[in-house]
Amino acid sequence: MQSLSNKLIRFTSAILLCLAGVMLALPAAAQDELKSSDLSGLSNNGGAQSSSTSTSGGFLKVTEAYVLSVQPAAEALTLHWDIAPEYYLYKDNFRVKAYSDGREIPLELSYEQGKVKYDEYFEKDMEVYYGQTNVRAAVPPGVGELELAITSQGCADAGLCYPPYTEYYEVDLASGDASAIPALTAKPQPPGGGSGGGLSAGSEGTPFLGYTLLLALLGGIILNLMPCVFPVLSIKAMSLMSAAGSAHSHRVHGWAYTAGAVASFLLIGGIILGIRAAGGDADWGKQLQSPIFVAFMFYLFLVMGLSLSGFVQFGSNLMGLGQSLTTRQGLQGSFFTGVLAVVVASPCTAPFMAPALGVALTQTPTVALSVFAALGLGMALPFLALSYAPKLSRALPKPGPWMDTLKQFLAFPLYLTAVWLLWVLGRQTGIDAAAAVVVGAVAIAFALWLLQRRPVSKTGRTVVYAGVLASAFVALAVAVKSEDFGPADTWQPYSAQLVADLRSKGRPVFVNLTAAWCITCHANERVALGRDSVQDKARELDIALVKGDWTNEDPRITKLLHEYQRAGVPTYLMYPADPDAPAEILPQILTPGIVIAAMERAASRQVAEASL
């Protein structure tokens, strides 16, 4: 046992040393890459060249989104910005400073009229520019050469807002020449400062990496308060309180947890950057756009909640997914608890995270990974601080029955998170997918119930294992097929006027009278009406598809049912194009062949009538 403990300590120490090296190396390298990347968009003739593509497949660099050129003339300057599609600049956030012979030159600026829109970033109406804009600056007489510091700020419609960005130019009004000055060697200083004013070494336009890392650190800390993460942290903290061991042991466990969290964030960041570098589109939370991922996350939070509530027992230390890893004794358990915390944090975005990730995903890989590492460190800090603060540990209540009560209470935030995920799935693919995933959840609950049985006979154990496998297969199949439950967009809502208008234009009309509580209706839609062969035939014959929803009382549908002497749903009517011809009533149990044959008969009547 002592040998195994030493191996675990060496294993975790190696991980921590690697991560420490990464954490120390990333910020310095990232700052260098930030500075060099800011220069990459500058040209020698008035700014950056336009580009419609991002270096990472997502948001553009600031110098690509807003391309500045300076056009000098006698006693005047025109500052011209070409703005990328779906990006804009703020009118009120332009700043222009001019220096000549070591003194600041006052400029009189005039602006074009922009578009007024409510801005969520500033929480007020702002005047902005799309496409392009000019700012004209009147220069006092007698000034020949100028050094300019031009600051602008803009946002993308997709949600990213850039920090104010400053570009530097040297301008000769007499010759009409303007050239960009690299940001690393240009920074305006007030008169009397440094070399007496003008531009000197520095980089005001480079985003401040330390500020971005601080935002990421704060965002990671606040992430622990999210309902999807807090129970994991709380249970781990309680297990640390109740565990025997020295202060050194507690600290090592704290670092193992930190290693798991930071390594997981770095892995996520690497995957996102890899996808974006390959031309794909990936961001934090992007995985939630996949119904399959949302379905599996729903299962995960439900199972974690059941474990905390005591309905199912996975072990004495932790709950949830990957129990064989997180419940291991020693440092591996702490490491994989950090991994689990990051996994369950993926549906959440804490305050300060959005601006930090927004900046990270527009910069170089080194910068982005440094931000992801800071997020992981921030997320692990509360538990790490607890492991390093014996006084804080002693201030907490002593272990006792209250811990089990708290554990059960913490299940309810997880249930609420599961409900939210189910709502997201319903918005993505419709109520049918949400209902199907609930069936999968029932299958999982049945499988968990079976696992609690302890049959003595071999036959009994075989039955239990077969039931568990069958239930797991049902849940897996439902989650994988959740993407196929997309709401049908080929059906128009029923009205008598709509049917009459369509038929007056020479189009046959298929009317499907259905209801949400009608099981036969849903079976027919799955087996026949939703099949590609039926949909393709409707498009081929130009047949309009109309659906009448009788889930709630609707006098229009009731009248139509009585007109064709029907008592309820399902009822299927195939109208030919002739407004005077009656509809054909189809059977209540459909097959693709029955529907296609009815469509062809309606279309042939249309052709025959047209030839008369």
Side-chain angles (χ1 to χ4, degrees):
M1 180 63 70
Q2 183 67 29
S3 175
L4 177 61
S5 176
N6 291 335
K7 289 181 180 179
L8 290 175
I9 291 175
R10 288 196 296 270
F11 167 75
T12 305
S13 299
I15 293 177
L16 293 175
L17 285 173
C18 293
L19 288 175
V22 170
M23 289 295 293
L24 290 172
L26 276 176
Q31 189 66 49
D32 291 341
E33 291 198 22
L34 255 175
K35 294 175 180 178
S36 62
S37 67
D38 287 335
L39 297 177
S40 63
L42 294 172
S43 71
N44 293 325
N45 187 24
Q49 300 300 316
S50 177
S51 173
S52 60
T53 60
S54 168
T55 57
S56 57
F59 292 108
L60 299 175
K61 288 184 179 180
V62 64
T63 51
E64 295 173 343
Y66 315 106
V67 182
L68 170 63
S69 61
V70 178
Q71 303 163 8
E75 299 183 358
L77 295 169
T78 298
L79 312 179
H80 177 81
W81 278 270
D82 285 313
I83 304 170
E86 300 180 358
Y87 288 75
Y88 57 88
L89 285 172
Y90 295 106
K91 175 183 177 181
D92 293 340
N93 290 18
F94 288 116
R95 300 288 184 272
V96 182
K97 291 186 177 181
Y99 300 90
S100 179
D101 297 329
R103 59 189 179 89
E104 186 171 354
I105 304 299
L107 300 178
E108 183 178 343
L109 304 180
S110 59
Y111 305 92
E112 297 176 336
Q113 184 172 356
K115 174 184 177 183
V116 177
K117 63 173 289 185
Y118 180 79
D119 191 272
E120 296 182 356
Y121 186 74
F122 289 100
E123 298 183 345
K124 63 179 181 179
D125 287 333
M126 301 284 288
E127 192 169 349
V128 300
Y129 299 107
Y130 283 90
Q132 63 178 13
T133 189
N134 293 309
V135 175
R136 291 176 174 80
V139 181
V143 177
E145 296 181 351
L146 286 173
E147 294 171 326
L148 299 176
I150 306 167
T151 302
S152 61
Q153 184 180 14
C155 295
D157 285 338
L160 172 69
C161 281
Y162 297 89
Y165 186 79
T166 303
E167 298 176 74
Y168 305 92
Y169 282 80
E170 290 181 339
V171 176
D172 188 332
L173 295 174
S175 64
D177 293 332
S179 58
I181 305 173
L184 293 178
T185 60
K187 182 177 180 181
Q189 291 193 356
S195 59
L199 302 176
S200 63
S203 178
E204 186 174 287
T206 301
F208 183 35
L209 180 62
Y211 175 70
T212 303
L213 292 178
L214 178 60
L215 290 180
L217 191 72
L218 291 174
I221 293 173
I222 297 176
L223 200 58
N224 288 286
L225 301 178
M226 299 294 106
C228 40
V229 182
F230 183 70
V232 177
L233 176 65
S234 301
I235 297 300
K236 186 60 184 175
M238 288 191 294
S239 68
L240 182 66
M241 291 163 51
S242 59
S246 64
H248 174 71
S249 174
H250 287 173
R251 292 170 185 171
V252 173
H253 278 279
W255 279 109
Y257 177 87
T258 303
V262 174
S264 299
F265 266 102
L266 286 173
L267 177 62
I268 292 173
I271 292 173
I272 291 175
L273 294 175
I275 293 174
R276 291 162 72 93
D281 188 13
D283 295 286
W284 178 264
K286 190 79 173 180
Q287 66 275 19
L288 289 174
Q289 295 180 355
S290 167
I292 295 176
F293 180 84
V294 174
F296 278 111
M297 291 300 294
F298 167 74
Y299 291 158
L300 171 62
F301 280 97
L302 178 64
V303 170
M304 290 171 62
L306 291 174
S307 177
L308 287 182
S309 296
F311 292 116
V312 59
Q313 297 296 328
F314 288 108
S316 59
N317 294 328
L318 286 171
M319 77 304 184
L321 186 67
Q323 209 62 30
S324 62
L325 295 174
T326 59
T327 57
R328 288 184 181 180
Q329 298 295 322
L331 300 180
Q332 288 189 27
S334 296
F335 178 86
F336 285 106
T337 304
V339 174
L340 175 63
V342 176
V343 170
V344 299
S346 62
C348 301
T349 300
F352 304 111
M353 276 184 65
L357 289 173
V359 171
L361 296 179
T362 63
Q363 301 298 332
T364 61
T366 308
V367 175
L369 289 177
S370 68
V371 173
F372 277 98
L375 280 168
L377 180 60
M379 187 174 180
L381 269 182
F383 184 74
L384 186 61
L386 184 64
S387 67
Y388 263 84
K391 292 183 179 180
L392 181 60
S393 299
R394 288 194 294 268
L396 295 174
K398 293 183 179 180
W402 67 270
M403 295 177 65
D404 189 60
T405 301
L406 177 61
K407 184 183 75 170
Q408 294 179 21
F409 172 78
L410 292 173
F412 291 96
L414 298 182
Y415 291 139
L416 290 175
T417 304
V419 170
W420 171 72
L421 287 166
L422 188 64
W423 175 79
V424 170
L425 183 66
R427 292 293 300 272
Q428 287 177 322
T429 57
I431 191 65
D432 290 349
V437 170
V438 170
V439 172
V442 173
I444 289 176
F446 179 67
L448 295 176
W449 176 77
L450 284 176
L451 287 174
Q452 307 305 308
R453 308 302 97 195
R454 296 290 185 270
V456 177
S457 66
K458 182 178 180 181
T459 302
R461 291 195 298 270
T462 302
V463 171
V464 166
Y465 295 147
V468 170
L469 289 175
S471 300
F473 175 78
V474 169
L476 177 65
V478 167
V480 171
K481 296 292 289 183
S482 61
E483 285 187 321
D484 299 335
F485 283 87
D489 56 0
T490 56
W491 295 90
Q492 303 178 61
Y494 170 80
S495 72
Q497 186 62 47
L498 173 64
V499 173
D501 291 343
L502 291 169
R503 298 181 73 189
S504 67
K505 297 176 182 177
R507 294 187 65 184
V509 180
F510 184 90
V511 175
N512 169 20
L513 300 182
T514 181
W517 37 260
C518 173
I519 297 177
T520 305
C521 302
H522 291 294
N524 284 332
E525 289 176 2
R526 287 286 169 197
V527 172
L529 299 179
R531 290 293 181 90
D532 291 340
S533 58
V534 173
Q535 295 290 320
D536 291 343
K537 181 61 67 173
R539 283 190 290 270
E540 175 189 336
L541 301 177
D542 194 27
I543 294 175
L545 302 178
V546 176
K547 179 180 289 187
D549 189 350
W550 208 42
T551 301
N552 298 317
E553 174 62 26
D554 190 329
R556 300 172 304 167
I557 298 175
T558 303
K559 179 181 177 181
L560 182 62
L561 290 170
H562 291 168
E563 180 181 339
Y564 284 89
Q565 299 179 353
R566 295 287 161 175
V569 294
T571 296
Y572 305 104
L573 305 173
M574 183 68 249
Y575 288 92
D578 181 6
D580 298 324
E584 177 185 354
I585 303 176
L586 275 62
Q588 287 191 313
I589 304 298
L590 298 178
T591 65
I594 291 174
V595 179
I596 290 174
M599 289 181 172
E600 290 176 339
R601 286 192 296 271
S604 64
R605 290 179 62 179
Q606 176 186 12
V607 172
E609 291 163 0
S611 62
L612 293 178

